[in-house]
Amino acid sequence: MPTLPIRAGARPATTPGLPHQQIDQQPTDEGIRRRLAERVFDLSGVIEGPTGISVPGARALLLDRTTAGGPPEAFFIGGEFETRSVHNMTKLVDAGVRLGMPVMGVTAVGKNMVRDAKYFRLACRIIAELGAQYVKTYYVEEGFETVTASCPVPIVMAGGKKLPELDALTMAYNAVQQGAAGVDMGRNIFQSEDPKAMITAVDAVVHKNLKPAHAFDLLQTLRSKGPLSICTKVSAHHDAG
């Protein structure tokens, strides 16, 4: 395989979000783009097709299915229908880009899939690279800070199964302290004895860095004043900037 020389000069500036676009060091001669495109699309086994992850109208380099090789597991990890999930995600992101609407991707965990930091690092990174502006994922006790550190977009912690209230507050606190932008809780809110008090306690953990034990004391104090049922799903996120 031929090798390319190391590029000289400063690294070009790019947009911080996705789709990823180069800002400066653009060629002044459009002929350069045309000649480059002619050369890369002339490579053996390469065809041109519609993009699945970039902005509408972008030209995509695709491998000809009749000549592409390599093991199928070299692409993505996950469940049986992972390829369809990726395809659907790219279409949703494209629609969001056209409408100016942010998209949140969610990591799913099947019964036979490992729920650890290694899996979530890869899954969250894939979702972000596909163009999602936010990623919702589950908390893991070991290595969650590596999940948030390796993802280029904000991560929101999923509430998951119903937990004792102190455990849920502790999980939310740890997730935010380890880099999550916020939490997205369902049953840990509306299955609480007092959803309004639980929302207030979660808000204090996320926005005021209140320790779990103190947040639980706040919950009990508010509960003593009388419950108020709220059947809704609530997200609490850090203020941007």
Side-chain angles (χ1 to χ4, degrees), residues 2 109 189:
V109 181
I189 297 290

Side-chain angles (χ1 to χ4, degrees), residues 3-4 6 8 22 30 32 39 56 73 81 83 95 118 122 129 133 135 137 158 197-198 201 206 222 224 232 235:
T3 59
L4 297 175
I6 297 177
Q22 185 171 321
E30 283 299 319
I32 295 178
R39 293 185 64 177
E73 62 270 19
F81 302 105
T83 303
K118 180 180 179 180
L122 180 56
E129 301 245 3
Q133 285 78 34
V135 177
T137 192
M198 186 62 177
V206 173
L222 294 173
S224 67
T232 185
S235 298

